[in-house]
Amino acid sequence: MDSFLPPREAPAVGASTSRAERPPASAAGRRRLFPDATDAEWTDWRWQQRHAVRSLAQLERYVPLTPQERAGVLETAALFRIGISPYYLSLIDPEHPFCPVRMQSIPVQEEARIRPGELADPLGEDKTRPEEAIVHKYPDRVLFLALDTCSVYCRHCTRRRITKGGEAELSKDQMRRGIEYIRQHPEVRDVLISGGDPFILSDGRLEELLSALHDIPHVEMIRIGTRVPVCLPMRVTDALARTLRRYAPVYVVTHFNHPKEITPEASEACQRLVDHGVPVENQAVLMRRLNSEARIIQELSHRLLRIRVRPYYLHQMDVAQGCEHLRTPIAKGLEIIQQMRGHTTGLAVPHLAVDLPGGGGKVTLQPDYVVERGERETVFRNYKGERYAYPEPEETDCSCPYDEVWRAQSR
């Protein structure tokens, strides 16, 4: 139901605007909202954290709120915290309630409503949480929840039951028990550190965790889920990048949802990580009326690739409480992927992923290009709708005889 939303005109569809034609939104916003901030203050991530907007009174000083936004701040105050870094606030268009940065950071009244099918724990994490810090849902990998704090509290947050309050890091005992759990489970080869946002930890605290994980022989890789390159890019310092490189392989999985978020500052943060040998991938969330058009997702992918960030997942939004107004039908995601296929490089087309409600795990979807299957051939349609036949081979034995030798050598 869109009764609270003013009408808007559809955006023009066309080629992406070049970087040279589009001035940085953050620079103009900084001059308008924080004219007294020095360069040293603005580029200090701790100054940004101290000056984050966390109340209705603060927010109204900077953004002319709609009645629905004002009601949203008041009615969600007991449900989920608000917090917007000055940098991310500087990207908000004060004139348009459909600004994608605004929609992700300022609540509306609809967020206070819990709809049928919405869940406090939409991914069923708590039932697979043997330790406070650990979610062990998949056989070979675990989620390590390092803290409940973020630089910006996204209105589409799937883990709002954790990030809604407390502003706490793990105690040393909780961290120790999480590390020990991983050490005692040799099947775990992949650890995803999340929270909250792990990059809000100090360099020393983060290194303590990385070092402990790196010392476990069966942990082959570490991933870090973070929105800091998007919402607090000044946190990505050379020192942080060097720390991550020291414990390679470490992969950073970030979360850009709209091309507007790819500012010069965000680009510099991502490229600093890549330059230090830290691969960066992006997981976007599909949100209704924010990025729910193929043109927007394609522009996002192209801009990510220009800064050497791989578009990895396009997530169907999880059924977290209060997020129904932002969710899209499953068919919309499939439509977007189909509209992108064949019209841009495959590297720019993310996997469409659905995390099944209640803990079913992640599945990926794609448009069905198979028209008919037969013993002699399979008939496909291409991205233009044209039919093509792929001849099936006469021999169908797909066993791999050398594999037994290879496995014996690898023991």
Side-chain angles (χ1 to χ4, degrees):
M1 182 173 174
D2 291 338
S3 58
F4 70 102
L5 300 173
R8 65 166 183 164
E9 296 195 5
V13 176
S16 300
T17 304
S18 71
R19 285 167 288 183
E21 295 170 346
R22 184 172 296 179
S26 54
R30 173 188 168 183
R31 288 194 298 270
R32 179 169 49 84
L33 301 178
F34 300 94
D36 296 330
T38 66
D39 289 345
E41 289 171 334
W42 188 257
T43 57
D44 179 353
W45 70 277
R46 295 188 183 280
W47 181 92
Q48 292 274 338
Q49 285 289 90
R50 288 195 301 271
H51 290 81
V53 170
R54 302 185 186 277
S55 69
L56 176 62
Q58 288 178 303
L59 188 57
E60 286 189 313
R61 289 210 305 266
Y62 297 113
V63 182
L65 300 180
T66 67
Q68 293 78 20
E69 288 171 331
R70 192 174 194 282
V73 175
L74 292 171
E75 294 179 26
T76 63
L79 303 174
F80 187 54
R81 60 169 68 136
I82 187 172
I84 314 172
S85 67
Y87 163 79
Y88 201 60
L89 189 74
S90 74
L91 303 184
I92 288 178
D93 184 339
E95 307 298 328
H96 206 309
F98 282 99
C99 165
V101 175
R102 184 170 180 158
M103 290 178 70
Q104 291 180 75
S105 53
I106 300 177
V108 292
Q109 197 168 14
E110 289 290 290
E111 192 179 318
R113 296 178 58 188
I114 298 176
R115 307 293 185 91
E118 292 185 330
L119 302 171
D121 178 18
L123 306 185
E125 292 176 336
D126 289 343
K127 64 186 180 184
T128 55
R129 198 171 175 184
E131 297 288 346
E132 186 74 14
I134 299 293
V135 175
H136 194 173
K137 186 162 65 173
Y138 296 101
D140 71 332
R141 52 203 182 275
V142 298
L143 176 66
F144 198 109
L145 298 173
L147 72 171
D148 70 357
T149 309
C150 295
S151 60
V152 170
Y153 295 100
C154 304
R155 309 323 302 178
H156 56 283
C157 180
T158 192
R159 211 168 280 140
R160 56 180 56 206
R161 74 193 187 282
I162 293 174
T163 57
K164 72 178 181 181
E167 302 226 22
E169 296 181 13
L170 283 178
S171 69
K172 288 191 175 182
D173 182 62
Q174 289 169 335
M175 183 178 287
R176 181 192 60 76
R177 291 173 61 176
I179 296 293
E180 187 59 28
Y181 178 88
I182 296 170
R183 186 177 285 112
Q184 296 299 321
H185 287 76
E187 71 275 19
V188 174
R189 51 173 293 277
D190 175 5
V191 178
L192 171 60
I193 305 173
S194 187
D197 197 312
F199 280 0
I200 297 301
L201 296 170
S202 67
D203 286 359
R205 187 77 162 154
L206 182 59
E207 181 160 20
E208 181 182 348
L209 177 55
L210 290 172
S211 175
L213 292 171
H214 190 264
D215 286 344
I216 300 174
H218 55 264
V219 172
E220 299 176 9
M221 59 183 284
I222 299 170
R223 291 178 290 154
I224 299 177
T226 175
R227 273 210 101 192
V228 154
V230 184
C231 303
L232 193 68
M234 51 285 296
R235 169 66 183 103
V236 183
T237 61
D238 285 334
L240 175 63
R242 285 194 299 267
T243 297
L244 300 181
R245 179 65 183 87
R246 196 151 48 241
Y247 298 100
V250 175
Y251 294 81
V252 167
V253 183
T254 193
H255 182 33
F256 291 92
N257 289 316
H258 193 278
K260 183 170 185 174
E261 297 173 316
I262 305 179
T263 63
E265 296 93 333
S267 301
E268 182 180 347
C270 291
Q271 296 194 81
R272 175 173 286 117
L273 292 170
V274 177
D275 286 345
H276 280 80
V278 180
V280 184
E281 297 185 332
N282 189 68
Q283 297 189 149
V285 172
L286 190 57
M287 285 178 270
R288 194 173 69 89
R289 312 198 79 180
L290 188 152
N291 61 6
S292 51
E293 296 178 4
R295 194 213 64 76
I296 296 173
I297 298 299
Q298 183 163 302
E299 182 186 347
L300 173 64
S301 289
H302 289 176
R303 287 175 173 265
L304 288 169
L305 289 173
R306 285 210 296 257
I307 61 172
R308 293 175 287 164
V309 175
R310 177 194 173 206
Y312 181 36
Y313 275 138
L314 176 62
H315 278 284
Q316 176 71 18
M317 182 178 288
D318 300 325
V319 290
Q321 291 178 341
C323 293
E324 160 99 8
H325 63 292
L326 291 172
R327 286 200 293 123
T328 60
I330 294 287
K332 172 52 70 172
L334 286 167
E335 175 188 310
I336 287 173
I337 298 300
Q338 180 163 307
Q339 289 176 345
M340 292 176 70
R341 284 281 179 205
H343 295 280
T344 186
T345 173
L347 197 59
V349 183
H351 298 289
L352 177 63
V354 182
D355 225 325
L356 300 178
K362 207 178 265 88
V363 297
T364 54
L365 304 176
Q366 65 174 335
D368 189 359
Y369 295 100
V370 176
V371 177
E372 56 187 74
R373 301 176 189 270
E375 289 187 14
R376 295 180 178 274
E377 67 179 19
T378 299
V379 179
F380 296 88
R381 63 175 179 85
N382 69 358
Y383 73 99
K384 296 180 180 179
E386 302 163 338
R387 291 166 64 102
Y388 289 85
Y390 180 92
E392 296 291 353
E394 293 182 10
E395 299 292 339
T396 59
D397 178 7
C398 294
S399 62
C400 302
Y402 189 74
D403 192 52
E404 187 174 342
V405 176
W406 174 252
R407 290 167 61 193
Q409 292 176 347
S410 301
R411 288 193 187 105

